[in-house]
Amino acid sequence: MTDKNFSDQKVLRGIPVSPGIIIGKARLVDRSRVKILYQYLISDDQLSQEVERFKHAIKTTEEQLATLKNRMPDKINKHSFIIDSCLMMLKDSMLNDSTIKKILNEKINAEWALKKSLDEIREVFSQIDDEYISNRINDVENVIEKVLRNLSGKEQESLAEINQRVIIVAHDLSPADTTELNINMVMGFITNVGGQTSHTAIMAQALEIPAVVGLQSVTDLVKDGDLLIVDGKTGRIIINPDDSAIIDYQERHLQREKYRSSIARKSHLPATTLDGHRIAIKANMEFVEEVTAVKNHGADGIGLFRTEFLYLRSKGLPSEEELYQDYREVAEFISPLELTIRTLDLGGDKFASELEISKEMNPALGLRAIRFCLKEPEIFKSQLRAILRASAHGNVQLMFPMISGLQEILDAKEILSQVKDELDSKNTNYDQNIKTGIMIEVPSAVTMAEVLARHVDFFSIGTNDLIQYALAIDRINEQVAYMYQPFHPAILRMIKHVVDSAKEAGIGVSLCGEMAGDPLCVSILLGLGIEELSLNSRAIPLIKKIIRSISIEEARMDFRNINRLNTANEVRAYIQDRMKALVPELQEKGYLDI
Ligand code: PEP
Ligand code: MG
């Protein structure tokens, strides 16, 4: 054990997003864009040297791209044309010759000249009336970013190459970054920005690594190699902890693991309340590899398969065949239990990393999810074909995300029926009676729930987005994270309305936002009529245990009382008291901490 140095220890509190305690060394990674800090004039006698510096940066970038291409695994080798197009961009005269001309004519440094060339290229792209082509500006920007890094000598570290057990400390990690993490080495991560239900947070849970986000300036406070304690349940970070903190957290870690394994032993029992109501507890998942863990954690099926991560992982679009193989594997593995496959939900924060700048001002309100799919029918159809084909091998349901009104359902179903006709004409097998449902996560869909219920087989309430859109708070913005309130009476009333509408129409309804895995929310959800939850599979044993400790009768009574309260704080205080009384060990084990 190291010498004590009390003065070094710093304690921070962030937003806990994936539970677990880890103690390890920090690794600072820079995922931010290179800032062009220096714009300066070049004297005549330095001009040729500056041009050489630029040419050298271009050459280094070409070499890096070539190495990347050679290292591409066989599985994705067919997408190497993407790298070829980057190599061609580097040779393009608008980027290359024009920058050199600017250095020579305007006598400015290479970074400044390159930035000016980028502005000109942006201008040209903005005038192109074809969305696909105009969006390629992102590729140009990424290539220029690489050149700028080489000019500044700031290399971007590949997260896949981390080969020591470390805790990642970053300004931000995009969902795409997290798909690259080497989880045998990365113990967990902490970031300056982010919120509880950002997709980066959801990925951390899927990978079962502790994570804390929204720490604001942790990258300024931590140095590479500093010892860190990260508590992914409370959000507490200790930088350079003293000996007593280390011993304390090792003990807490042991205690929590002991409790986790004690409840895990009962995770295969059904979630039946004290008064005999069976609640279905399904799992949310993002990666095919998770399906074994889903089963081991005792899930009653998969209530939400977020398919976009397969797209984020592959370079270029995955083929229908690749998608089909993945979906089939999951469907067969989990059969006869249900697998609900949600169609692509790209957009929002799943493109909005700093590295892949989206053109949209408000990506969460932009071309996301079903809107994107209806605009890109070929991409949509390829996924629908893969899902339908997989439905021949298990108990598959189909779900459309981010529905805001009836027209989108009609349009999506029209495309679905075209795909079915196509498969029929080729005698391809699929489940002719496949159930089709929608996510309820936009306030307008809540208002229209009675109407929408007549057109679909089930609803799944996505509270992560519903809270974001109803309370007007960006789910990935740590500045407003305090306002992200599942207990807000408006949210509870919306959920109640959706549940009542579904029941009235005789269709199924479940809830698959992060609320479903929150020990404090379960009893309220049961009280308002939810009978199916879908959650991060690690939380299943605990949520089942809570359900086995409460009765629907009491949960309904509590909901009637809660319905009279007018603020999120009052609701939280009420339910905290009740849960303390109903499941005292939740308090002892720290699950009721704010
Ligand atoms: C939700 O919005 O609650 C949801 C489950 O979908 P996602 O988190 O993938 O947006
Ligand atoms: Mg959502």
Tab-separated table of all heavy atoms in Angstrom, residues 342 345 368 439 441 465 475, ligand 2:
chain	number	residue	atom	x	y	z
A	342	ARG	N	-36.402	-3.728	-32.004
A	342	ARG	CA	-36.779	-2.362	-32.358
A	342	ARG	C	-36.014	-1.967	-33.617
A	342	ARG	O	-34.800	-2.181	-33.694
A	342	ARG	CB	-36.414	-1.406	-31.208
A	342	ARG	CG	-36.794	0.023	-31.528
A	342	ARG	CD	-36.515	0.941	-30.372
A	342	ARG	NE	-35.098	1.249	-30.249
A	342	ARG	CZ	-34.608	2.002	-29.282
A	342	ARG	NH1	-35.398	2.503	-28.349
A	342	ARG	NH2	-33.323	2.251	-29.226
A	345	ASP	N	-32.857	3.139	-34.456
A	345	ASP	CA	-33.079	4.429	-33.786
A	345	ASP	C	-31.787	5.244	-33.865
A	345	ASP	O	-31.225	5.626	-32.844
A	345	ASP	CB	-33.508	4.176	-32.327
A	345	ASP	CG	-33.830	5.464	-31.575
A	345	ASP	OD1	-33.838	6.535	-32.205
A	345	ASP	OD2	-34.065	5.401	-30.362
A	368	ARG	N	-34.341	11.539	-36.654
A	368	ARG	CA	-33.961	10.426	-35.788
A	368	ARG	C	-34.960	9.270	-35.948
A	368	ARG	O	-36.108	9.491	-36.317
A	368	ARG	CB	-33.986	10.962	-34.343
A	368	ARG	CG	-33.496	9.992	-33.329
A	368	ARG	CD	-33.706	10.446	-31.906
A	368	ARG	NE	-33.688	9.239	-31.096
A	368	ARG	CZ	-33.917	9.204	-29.805
A	368	ARG	NH1	-34.188	10.311	-29.150
A	368	ARG	NH2	-33.879	8.061	-29.166
A	439	MET	N	-42.999	2.313	-29.862
A	439	MET	CA	-42.522	2.950	-28.639
A	439	MET	C	-43.379	4.196	-28.415
A	439	MET	O	-43.649	4.948	-29.354
A	439	MET	CB	-41.075	3.425	-28.781
A	439	MET	CG	-40.074	2.363	-29.076
A	439	MET	SD	-39.303	1.648	-27.623
A	439	MET	CE	-38.728	3.034	-26.700
A	441	GLU	N	-42.877	7.478	-26.765
A	441	GLU	CA	-41.815	8.273	-26.153
A	441	GLU	C	-41.870	9.740	-26.579
A	441	GLU	O	-40.992	10.520	-26.229
A	441	GLU	CB	-40.440	7.655	-26.448
A	441	GLU	CG	-40.212	7.250	-27.876
A	441	GLU	CD	-38.912	6.468	-28.099
A	441	GLU	OE1	-38.104	6.354	-27.164
A	441	GLU	OE2	-38.704	5.994	-29.226
A	465	ASP	N	-36.812	8.933	-23.364
A	465	ASP	CA	-37.128	10.021	-24.288
A	465	ASP	C	-38.383	10.772	-23.879
A	465	ASP	O	-38.462	11.990	-24.056
A	465	ASP	CB	-37.284	9.487	-25.715
A	465	ASP	CG	-35.932	9.318	-26.374
A	465	ASP	OD1	-35.125	10.267	-26.274
A	465	ASP	OD2	-35.666	8.263	-26.948
A	475	ARG	N	-31.430	14.850	-22.642
A	475	ARG	CA	-31.049	13.741	-21.770
A	475	ARG	C	-29.546	13.533	-21.662
A	475	ARG	O	-29.076	12.770	-20.824
A	475	ARG	CB	-31.755	12.442	-22.215
A	475	ARG	CG	-31.323	11.904	-23.553
A	475	ARG	CD	-32.269	10.818	-24.060
A	475	ARG	NE	-31.787	9.485	-23.796
A	475	ARG	CZ	-32.304	8.378	-24.334
A	475	ARG	NH1	-33.352	8.449	-25.143
A	475	ARG	NH2	-31.818	7.197	-24.077
B	2	MG	MG	-35.971	6.281	-26.872
